[in-house]
Amino acid sequence: MLNQYFLDESGNTGDLVKKPPDLNFANQPFFALSCIGVPDCDDLQKYIDSLKSKHRVQGEELKSKNLYKSKPGFIYDLFDYIAKNKLPFYVEVVDKKYCIAVSIVNHQICPPYFQQFDSEINAQGFRNELSDYLSENLPLDCYMSFFEACIDKSEAALLASMKKLRNYFRSKEFTFKYKSDAVRCLQSTIRFYHSNKSSNTDLIKNLVPIPDINKKCNEIHLLPHVHSWFNIMGKVNKYHNGDISDVTFFHDKQDHFDDILIFCSEQLKNSNVKNPFDSTTDFNIKTDLNLKFPDSKKSAGIQLADVLAGYISRYVMEYLYDNSLKNELYHDIFSELIACYGPDKNFGVNFVLPINRRSVIFKKFNL
């Protein structure tokens, strides 16, 4: 069975929570991580070489940023290799601002530590809709207060963040359709903190995202790379029926976050973590996970993953956000990927975007 998977990312891989806040994320508002199984890299390299000749593409290494605008036909033909060879592929594409909004909702408004709704299904539905609304409407000062709470982890910063949210929720600018529920949940979290802080001295850490630690022992707050990597591990493990003992992952060289990704891999070993809302993942990894970081210049598989991640992030931006997409070929390219989908597979793209954004592409392609 297939045992080689190649990964690469598109978009700045750094943490989202920083001071001062940059909600434009250095002009990279999306992060995408792709993973693709390639059984024969020599065959893939021969195919790439033939496409370079056909489309007059120069250079030793394929890069999405060099191909997306100038050579969309090359990308179409390259993805035809995925379809014809039935290669399993997984892409996580993340709206970074939405990712922060989700974290605010999950940690400070509707955390999982006590029951605020009749069922977890209702609670998650509320979280999803509120996250969508906040990602489009939350004022900058609320983000700033949340960032302060994440970084300082003090009672004063935490309460200031939640009270800033409460003031916004009570204002006329907050027009969320479940406004009263949002206020009620936030008030419940504040009361929960005051009621339990004396018996749980680390309670503040439960109401902000758990940071990752880099090689210099600095905290990294909200790294979309981590969440994407967790999901991809779960999907590959599911595809292999819970046994990836002979699988090797080849991720493009990481100078800053390789240790974090390795650490995350170890955390899933013999894990009982489950996502009740996603049957396409299995996080119970039973063996050590083999993760390597080769140079992309020497790996056709990683170059294919680079083009896949870069295409998806740019396509989402142009089609779903700034409405600048004019060339129908980019839709045809996505259709080429959809051709790989099937009822017995969990291949494809996971759109970590607000519902109103992803519903556009779902409707167009009947997803």
Side-chain angles (χ1 to χ4, degrees):
M1 192 174 185
L2 180 65
N3 61 4
Q4 294 186 123
Y5 288 86
F6 298 86
L7 298 102
D8 204 355
E9 76 282 349
S10 175
N12 190 309
T13 58
D15 47 343
L16 305 185
V17 173
K18 296 179 179 179
K19 292 194 295 186
D22 173 19
L23 296 181
N24 192 38
F25 309 101
N27 293 318
Q28 297 187 70
F30 297 95
F31 173 80
L33 180 65
S34 68
C35 174
I36 186 160
V38 181
D40 189 342
C41 286
D42 290 336
D43 183 70
L44 172 59
Q45 186 61 62
K46 291 177 182 177
Y47 184 78
I48 289 173
D49 290 341
S50 70
L51 290 187
K52 284 182 175 180
S53 177
K54 174 183 176 180
H55 293 275
R56 299 181 180 180
V57 171
Q58 303 294 319
E60 177 185 3
E61 183 179 7
L62 293 184
K63 283 291 185 183
S64 175
K65 63 182 179 181
N66 299 329
L67 296 170
Y68 183 82
K69 285 294 186 184
S70 63
K71 301 288 184 179
F74 183 100
I75 298 176
Y76 182 90
D77 287 347
L78 181 63
F79 290 176
D80 189 51
Y81 185 89
I82 298 174
K84 287 181 177 177
N85 290 278
K86 300 180 180 179
L87 304 184
F89 69 93
Y90 313 90
V91 185
E92 298 280 322
V93 57
V94 180
D95 177 330
K96 295 179 181 179
K97 194 174 180 181
Y98 175 71
C99 183
I100 298 172
V102 169
S103 186
I104 291 173
V105 171
N106 288 341
H107 287 92
Q108 295 189 358
I109 300 170
C110 193
Y113 308 115
F114 57 99
Q115 189 170 353
Q116 294 173 299
F117 289 87
D118 293 339
S119 68
E120 181 57 24
I121 292 176
N122 289 337
Q124 191 56 46
F126 170 80
R127 292 185 190 109
N128 291 343
E129 294 205 43
L130 182 57
S131 298
D132 282 11
Y133 181 90
L134 294 183
S135 69
E136 305 278 2
N137 297 282
L138 189 66
L140 177 61
D141 60 348
C142 290
Y143 284 105
M144 292 175 65
S145 293
F146 178 70
F147 288 9
E148 195 79 31
C150 293
I151 294 169
D152 289 358
K153 289 183 283 294
S154 67
E155 178 177 79
L158 174 65
L159 292 176
S161 175
M162 291 193 289
K163 289 176 181 178
K164 184 75 72 174
L165 288 169
R166 185 174 62 187
N167 290 341
Y168 171 58
F169 285 3
R170 288 174 171 173
S171 72
K172 64 181 180 180
E173 285 77 23
F174 184 65
T175 58
F176 181 55
K177 61 181 177 179
Y178 304 118
K179 179 171 182 167
S180 61
D181 284 325
V183 174
R184 174 182 60 81
C185 288
L186 183 55
Q187 284 286 89
S188 296
T189 304
I190 294 173
R191 286 195 297 270
F192 169 79
Y193 173 75
H194 283 299
S195 299
N196 294 277
K197 65 178 181 179
S198 59
S199 59
N200 183 356
T201 56
D202 286 335
L203 187 57
I204 292 172
K205 295 179 181 178
N206 293 113
L207 300 177
V208 295
I210 299 172
D212 296 292
I213 308 298
N214 68 8
K215 293 179 179 179
K216 297 181 180 179
C217 296
N218 296 322
E219 292 185 345
I220 305 295
H221 301 275
L222 273 187
L223 195 63
H225 208 143
V226 166
H227 303 290
S228 300
W229 172 226
F230 270 126
N231 278 340
I232 283 175
M233 281 190 288
K235 288 180 183 296
V236 173
N237 192 46
K238 179 76 171 183
Y239 179 60
H240 285 259
N241 299 313
D243 182 7
I244 54 174
S245 56
D246 64 342
V247 168
T248 301
F249 292 91
F250 299 91
H251 193 301
D252 187 26
K253 187 177 180 181
Q254 286 284 311
D255 293 328
H256 303 291
F257 304 122
D258 50 354
D259 285 354
I260 290 175
L261 298 180
I262 291 171
F263 175 79
C264 292
S265 306
E266 294 170 349
Q267 299 311 298
L268 281 188
K269 185 178 177 182
N270 297 318
S271 168
N272 292 319
V273 174
K274 293 183 179 180
N275 182 350
F277 303 103
D278 184 2
S279 61
T280 68
T281 54
D282 177 5
F283 295 110
N284 185 14
I285 294 176
K286 300 178 177 66
T287 61
D288 290 336
L289 193 144
N290 193 4
L291 176 60
K292 298 181 179 180
F293 297 92
D295 187 340
S296 61
K297 293 184 178 65
K298 301 175 182 178
S299 172
I302 290 178
Q303 291 176 44
L304 176 58
D306 173 281
V307 177
L308 181 57
Y311 161 75
I312 291 293
S313 61
R314 291 172 175 86
Y315 176 64
V316 163
M317 180 66 194
E318 293 188 356
Y319 179 43
L320 301 182
Y321 282 78
D322 66 16
N323 299 313
S324 63
L325 194 67
K326 305 300 181 186
N327 189 341
E328 284 292 320
L329 180 55
Y330 293 98
H331 294 309
D332 294 340
I333 294 171
F334 190 70
S335 294
E336 186 81 353
L337 295 176
I338 293 175
C340 304
Y341 288 24
D344 59 337
K345 305 184 183 79
N346 60 322
F347 308 161
V349 182
N350 182 29
F351 295 93
V352 188
L353 316 172
I355 295 171
N356 67 306
R357 302 286 186 178
R358 62 179 184 260
S359 63
V360 174
I361 201 166
F362 287 4
K363 183 177 180 179
K364 180 176 179 63
F365 292 100
N366 297 314
L367 297 177

